[in-house]
Amino acid sequence: EKGNYRHYMQKEIFEQPTVVAQTLSSYIRPLEQTVALPQMDFDLAGVKRITIVACGTSYYAGMVAKYWFETFARVPVDIDVASEFRYRDPVLEEGGLALFISQSGETADTLAALRHCKEHGQTIAVVVNVPTSSMAREADLLLPTHAGPEIGVASTKAFTCQLAVLAALAAHLALVKGKLSAEQEREIVRHLIEAPAALNAALAHDEDIAAMAHLIAPARDVLYLGRGPDYPLAMEGALKLKEISYIHAEGYASGEMKHGPIALIDEAVPVIVLAPSGPLFEKTVSNMQEVRARGGKVVLISDAEGIEEAGEGCLATIEMPSVHPLIAPLVYAVPVQLLAYHVACAKGTDVDQPRNLAKSVTVE
Ligand code: M6R
């Protein structure tokens, strides 16, 4: 079943262009260049606040979506991990929309949070990969991802498919809220259609990334930095690395470095910086210089423009295609997945069945 791949995780990483295209085909009409969502029997335009709840990688997809819902649709978003949310007695106003994100649709804490929200009068939307799952059955609005079965314990293709659905949902919400013109909608759809090709371009760096794995494999700690939507990507990159290579890794908002974590920096701590060029680029670069000034070794993941401007003096650079900010999180997921994968291979760990982890966490 793994075909020519060594591991399911590797196969699933490489399936992303296909499964993202497959997922998007249910959410966009390419000829009309419009977003198409399933029928809803509630008034999406009337939604005043969205509560997002999920765990692990699905939670990071939700964090990216928070930026999108707020920027495009101007709808405030509250987001929490399910294990905290369900016990903190959250304030849920009547008529709110609660959005749950899950690959399996069976994660115990997320499911309990969903039921809690249902009891408190929330409309339940779910982004889920298993259409027969408990969460799928209990949803008012079911937004399936079409990633196909994900076998590797470390989630990869489910994540990028979740982002694809969430981007379409953000665009649709913006449209019904009157924050997006028909022309802007078409533009967004055009960018979404480009996502699979951009994912392929990112995957083309597989060998370069494999060749740099030995630079990271000996590390005891690795930091990942990003700003804006790249901040959750930094946390996702760190989660992937710790899950499968057992190297301690943390994702930080770049601007938080000088509030503590910079104390950890020395020659032995690689710092992976996720920074597409754009309005936040300069700020991340200055955080990167602070790291370098303390002997830190930087791996910069950026586009040609970013690498041209700031790549000098880095331990390594990984060049991503230049893409619209809306699809950048999908594209930047690929190098952090590949890096974790190759580092784990270099260390000889069990990539598909990492120790202590279960694919689906059905007990709390
Ligand atoms: O099935 P779910 O998306 O609800 O699972 C959530 C997490 O358990 C999951 O994303 C976990 O963090 C993965 N092992 C991450 O690679």
Side-chain angles (χ1 to χ4, degrees):
E1 265 190 77
K2 278 179 286 204
N4 292 328
Y5 294 102
R6 255 180 86 190
H7 298 99
Y8 281 106
M9 183 190 181
Q10 185 189 27
K11 174 173 176 264
E12 289 161 1
I13 291 172
F14 277 87
E15 275 171 1
Q16 291 178 111
T18 311
V19 295
V20 164
Q22 207 163 284
T23 298
L24 280 171
S25 69
S26 312
Y27 293 92
I28 54 184
R29 295 192 196 89
L31 294 179
E32 293 89 338
Q33 298 190 335
T34 56
V35 177
L37 260 77
Q39 276 295 102
M40 306 175 203
D41 54 8
F42 64 95
D43 175 27
L44 188 66
V47 166
K48 291 201 182 64
R49 169 172 286 276
I50 299 178
T51 303
I52 305 180
V53 184
C55 300
T57 289
S58 299
Y59 169 70
Y60 297 139
M63 280 190 71
V64 173
K66 174 184 162 82
Y67 288 91
W68 290 339
F69 294 154
E70 295 190 339
T71 336
F72 294 121
R74 307 302 297 150
V75 176
V77 173
D78 181 29
I79 175 161
D80 211 343
V81 290
S83 54
E84 284 300 310
F85 177 86
R86 63 183 288 203
Y87 295 117
R88 77 171 155 83
D89 200 8
V91 180
L92 296 166
E93 281 163 40
E94 196 65 33
L97 180 70
L99 172 64
F100 301 86
I101 307 168
S102 177
Q103 188 286 127
S104 61
E106 301 295 348
T107 301
D109 282 320
T110 311
L111 187 57
L114 182 157
R115 290 176 178 156
H116 177 88
C117 286
K118 205 166 216 184
E119 280 161 24
H120 289 77
Q122 305 298 291
T123 300
I124 309 296
V126 308
V127 175
V128 78
N129 194 44
V130 180
T132 51
S133 60
S134 306
M135 284 181 220
R137 285 197 304 273
E138 296 186 28
D140 299 308
L141 174 62
L142 174 59
L143 301 168
T145 47
H146 303 297
E150 192 181 61
I151 311 290
V153 165
S155 185
T156 53
K157 62 176 181 171
F159 177 68
T160 40
C161 287
Q162 288 165 347
L163 291 178
V165 172
L166 292 163
L169 178 61
H172 185 72
L173 187 65
L175 196 72
V176 299
K177 285 274 182 191
K179 305 288 183 208
L180 209 66
S181 67
E183 178 43 40
Q184 287 167 320
E185 181 191 16
R186 283 196 291 277
E187 196 194 322
I188 286 187
V189 171
R190 283 198 294 272
H191 291 304
L192 288 174
I193 292 172
E194 286 163 12
L199 288 168
N200 266 320
L203 286 166
H205 291 280
D206 182 46
E207 282 180 17
D208 321 339
I209 296 173
M212 66 178 70
H214 71 279
L215 300 171
I216 310 295
R220 201 188 60 178
D221 310 283
V222 177
L223 289 181
Y224 287 72
L225 302 181
R227 270 180 193 265
D230 293 298
Y231 164 42
L233 257 300
M235 290 191 282
E236 168 59 6
L239 178 63
K240 287 290 91 90
L241 190 72
K242 47 186 137 176
E243 281 190 292
I244 61 170
S245 76
Y246 315 142
I247 296 174
H248 169 244
E250 296 299 332
Y252 265 98
S254 311
E256 275 292 295
M257 275 301 280
K258 50 165 99 47
H259 299 284
I262 200 159
L264 295 172
I265 300 297
D266 63 21
E267 307 73 47
V269 182
V271 181
I272 319 291
V273 178
L274 292 118
S277 58
L280 300 174
F281 185 73
E282 293 303 327
K283 291 190 187 297
T284 304
V285 168
S286 78
N287 303 130
M288 200 174 99
Q289 313 296 19
E290 288 155 15
V291 167
R292 293 232 307 257
R294 284 154 189 86
K297 301 227 161 51
V298 173
V299 175
L300 174 64
I301 309 180
S302 184
D303 45 33
E305 200 183 319
I307 289 176
E308 159 90 47
E309 198 178 317
E312 222 178 47
C314 289
L315 176 66
T317 57
I318 308 175
E319 189 184 313
M320 291 294 100
S322 300
V323 290
H324 186 268
L326 181 68
I327 63 165
L330 284 85
V331 175
Y332 281 67
V334 171
V336 295
Q337 294 166 348
L338 287 173
L339 188 64
Y341 174 74
H342 289 297
V343 171
C345 289
K347 297 197 77 172
T349 54
D350 186 344
V351 169
D352 285 331
Q353 286 291 333
R355 68 186 183 202
N356 309 341
L357 293 174
K359 178 64 185 162
S360 182
V361 184
T362 52
V363 288
E364 68 172 296

